[in-house]
Structure formats: structure tokens, C-alpha cells
Amino acid sequence: MQRAVAASISSSRATAWASSSATARHAGAASCSTSRHPVAPIRIQGNRHPVPVPLSLPLLSTRRPARTALAAAAATTAELPPADEAASNSGGIAGAVQLGAMIVAWYLLNIYFNIYNKQVLQALPFPLPYTITAFQLGFGSLAILFMWAARLHPLPKLSAAQLAKIAPLAAGHMLGTVFTNMSLGAVAVSFTHTIKASEPFFTVLLSAFFLGEWPSLLVLGSLVPIVGGVALASLTEVSFNWVGFWSAMASNLLNQTRNVLSKRLLGGEEEESMDDINLFSLITVLSFLLSCPLMLLAEGVKFSPAYLQSTGVNLQELCVRAALAGLCFHGYQKISYMILARVSPVTHSVANCVKRVVVIVSSVLFFRTPISPVNALGTGAALGGVYLYSRLKKSKPKSQ
């Protein structure tokens, strides 16, 4: 009898130990699965005086996981670092170096885009914003088609309902690029980017109107130096004219409307939600298709090669510059999306603010743009307000 009782107790202990070990292994696997997140100088001839530029382009949710109970005898806890820390998601030092290289490439491509684009606009005997926009969107579309053909990114599954929603965004994207080119052709690059620093104002306004997202008082307070700085810089800008000012403002309004409305297509309730890369790619391709008839209607006759050559423009160099500007334009926007996938939206906004400072300073130095102390104060106040806005704006976790 005693032997039977002892055997029964031993069997019960063995069964309990096996059950506890299986539970621990299952919980450990679940914890592990949740710990990962998903020049030679060259001149363009014309009636203006372009500046030589090097042609050699460089190669270019924060969330704390729940503590997991493993077993009564082996309880452990795990906590992930914030998403802003590149080393946590990208493999330590190598990931941090990769992220840093992407940010440098993002800044360089933006700088080169503004320089090449401004030189093309300066060399033309008359403004051709629709044609320049079509060139930029066209080269971006070629890069996108290559990406899909080479299977570097999966093809989107586009429904008729999604196409109907994307088409207005593409029209806004195309017109926003047109107005940006109008502003860059009319005023200094630094002034255009100072005006475009007022984007947070339009973001707050449109988010409240379309999405019902009302900002806090601190966020509203950060808009005061932005608006005041842009106004001060406008009053003291040497190259100021109303065409350049209102074109940049229109570009802000259209681009931020596109960004706000794009949220409805990312992670929506539709059967096949679309990722940000494919959404941006479709917007770019549709924008190019929409820009072609507008270009031919508004500027098609003026852009004949014979006519441009008769005005003294070196057509070959002009096309090379326009092609480089288009590739840089698409490249820096695509890298921007890649960086956003690795860091939080707040960190991305701060990096974007620093990028605007780098672009303004580099354009002032390259084009030798005269800047008065008051103008510099206004630009600094606007950029400081953008930085403050970026820090105060709370990050929202992406829908999984």
C-alpha cells in the first residue's frame, strides 16, 4: 500500500513538472515573438547667370510590452527600449550606422534637388513649372516601375474604390509640386523653405477639420513663433514677391491635405490595406499621368527643343539637370519613408526640421543669398517653432 501511494505521488509530481515546463516554453516563445518589431563644373547658357555646381552626386510605436508570467517557479519580465533607439531594432552599432547613413543621404539628396532644380528654373527664359513637375514625377515613376518589376517591393492590390480615393490625393500632390516649383522659380530657395516651415500650422488646421484631432494648448502655442517668424522673414526678404509667397503657401496647403487624407488609406478597414510605400508610389505615378495633359495644355508649345535652343539654352545640359533633380526628388522622398519605418514620428519630425535648416544654410552659401539680421531672426524663430512643435506633438502608434 505504501509503495502504491509513493508511486502515485511521484507520478503526480512528474506530471506537474512536465506541465509547468511546457507552459514556460510556450510563454517564453510568445515573449520572444513579441520582442521584435515588425563635378566637373558646368554652366547652363541663357539670359541669366547660373552658378556652377558639382555634377558628381554622392552615392547615395513606442510601446512597452506587457510583462509575461512564465511559471510559478520561473517568472521573468521583459521590456523593450523605445522605437527611437535604432540599435534596438536594427542590430546594435550596425543598425545605428545604417540609420545615420540614410539620414545623411536624405539630407544630401534634398540639397542637390534644390540646387539642380533652382538652376534649371533660373536657366529657362520663362517659367515652366508644369513641365519641370512632369519631368520630376516622370523620373520618379520610372524608378517605381523598376522597383515593382524587380520585385524590390510587392505590387499593390488596387481596387476601384481605392483608386477613386487616391486620385484626388495624386492631383493634390501634382499641384503641390507645381506650386513649389513656381515658388522656387520666383524667390530664393532659402525663402521658399522658410515659408514651407509653416507646414505644422496647416497640419493642425486640417487634422482638426478632417480627422477631428484637436491640438493641446502647448501645441497651439508652438505655432506662434512659426507664424511670427515667417511673417518677419517675409517682411525683410530681398527676393520677396507675392507669386513666390502664395505659391509656397498653396504648396503647404495641398501637401498637408494630401498627408492628412492619406491616413484614411493606411491601415484602414478595407480588406487589402495599403502600406505607405505603395500608397506614395501610386500617388506619384498617377500624379505623373495627370501632369502630362496639363503640361501639354499650358506649356507644350513653349517647350519645343528648337524654340529653347533659339533662346540660347543648352538643351542637353538642361535635360540632364532636370533628370538629376527628378531622381533626387524621388530619392529623398522614398528615403524619408524608409527612415519613418525605423524611428517614431516625433523623431522623424525633428530630423525633418534639422533637414530644413541644412537646406536653407546650404542654399544661402551656394547661391550667396543676401540675408539681413532681421531676416535671419525670423527664419530662426520659424524653425525653432517647428522644432518645438515636433517635440510637443505626441506620437501615435501605427496600426498593426
Side-chain angles (χ1 to χ4, degrees):
M1 182 68 177
Q2 291 178 348
R3 291 181 179 179
V5 171
S8 175
I9 293 174
S10 176
S11 175
S12 299
R13 289 178 178 176
T15 303
W17 180 85
S19 175
S20 175
S21 299
T23 303
R25 287 195 300 270
H26 177 73
S31 175
C32 181
S33 65
T34 57
S35 65
R36 297 182 182 176
H37 290 295
V39 207
I42 190 170
R43 287 192 308 110
I44 299 177
Q45 301 174 0
N47 57 350
R48 303 193 185 186
H49 302 283
V51 183
V53 60
L55 273 182
S56 59
L57 189 65
L59 294 178
L60 304 175
S61 117
T62 304
R63 182 175 56 186
R64 178 174 295 179
R67 298 182 183 272
T68 307
L70 299 181
T76 58
T77 58
E79 182 176 340
L80 292 178
D84 291 0
E85 298 178 8
S88 64
N89 292 333
S90 304
I93 298 178
V97 171
Q98 182 185 22
L99 178 62
M102 291 172 63
I103 292 176
V104 171
W106 184 27
Y107 288 9
L108 283 175
L109 287 171
N110 208 298
I111 292 171
Y112 272 87
F113 162 72
N114 282 278
I115 290 176
Y116 287 138
N117 201 36
K118 180 65 175 179
Q119 289 191 326
V120 169
L121 294 168
Q122 280 183 331
L124 293 172
F126 37 75
L128 292 173
Y130 297 99
T131 302
I132 298 303
T133 298
F135 263 86
Q136 293 168 358
L137 296 174
F139 282 101
S141 298
L142 289 176
I144 291 168
L145 294 177
F146 174 79
M147 174 188 73
W148 285 335
R151 300 183 182 275
L152 300 178
H153 196 79
L155 279 169
K157 296 180 180 180
L158 184 63
S159 64
Q162 287 176 321
L163 181 61
K165 293 179 180 179
I166 293 175
L169 301 181
H173 178 66
M174 184 267 294
L175 291 176
T177 308
V178 168
F179 282 120
T180 298
N181 287 324
M182 284 184 179
S183 180
L184 287 172
V187 296
V189 174
S190 57
F191 183 55
T192 296
H193 281 274
T194 300
I195 300 173
K196 288 178 72 66
S198 61
E199 286 177 349
F201 173 81
F202 292 95
T203 301
V204 169
L205 182 65
L206 294 169
S207 295
F209 183 78
F210 288 109
L211 304 178
E213 298 178 357
W214 298 96
S216 65
L217 291 177
L218 290 176
V219 171
L220 286 176
S222 69
L223 300 179
V224 175
I226 296 176
V227 176
V230 170
L232 187 62
S234 301
L235 291 174
T236 56
E237 173 60 35
V238 176
S239 66
F240 178 86
N241 64 66
W242 288 110
V243 173
F245 177 83
W246 287 116
S247 295
M249 282 295 184
S251 174
N252 279 346
L253 178 61
L254 289 166
N255 288 335
Q256 295 311 306
T257 301
R258 175 204 64 198
N259 292 342
V260 170
L261 294 181
S262 293
K263 293 183 179 180
R264 296 181 178 180
L265 294 177
L266 292 174
E269 298 179 355
E270 301 186 18
E271 296 181 0
E272 294 290 344
S273 60
M274 192 173 301
D275 63 82
D276 50 2
I277 295 296
N278 275 334
L279 177 58
F280 171 73
S281 299
L282 287 171
I283 287 175
T284 300
V285 174
L286 289 176
S287 297
F288 169 66
L289 297 177
L290 292 173
S291 68
C292 290
L294 192 60
M295 172 193 71
L296 295 175
L297 181 64
E299 302 166 352
V301 177
K302 295 180 180 179
F303 195 67
S304 63
Y307 182 78
L308 286 177
Q309 287 181 344
S310 68
T311 61
V313 175
N314 188 318
L315 189 61
Q316 181 179 358
E317 294 182 358
L318 182 68
C319 291
V320 170
R321 299 281 179 154
L324 290 173
L327 292 175
C328 291
F329 175 75
H330 177 74
Y332 85 74
Q333 293 197 10
K334 182 61 67 67
I335 292 178
S336 175
Y337 276 97
M338 294 169 62
I339 293 174
L340 184 58
R342 287 167 169 77
V343 301
S344 72
V346 172
T347 299
H348 188 272
S349 297
V350 173
N352 191 55
C353 175
V354 176
K355 181 210 71 179
R356 200 173 296 283
V357 174
V358 172
V359 170
I360 290 175
V361 172
S362 62
S363 65
V364 167
L365 295 176
F366 185 87
F367 293 106
R368 300 178 182 178
T369 306
I371 299 291
S372 66
V374 179
N375 184 278
L377 178 63
T379 301
L383 295 173
V386 173
Y387 178 81
L388 181 61
Y389 169 86
S390 301
R391 299 303 301 174
L392 292 175
K393 187 69 174 176
K394 291 184 179 179
S395 172
K396 294 186 177 181
K398 293 183 179 180
S399 57
Q400 300 298 324

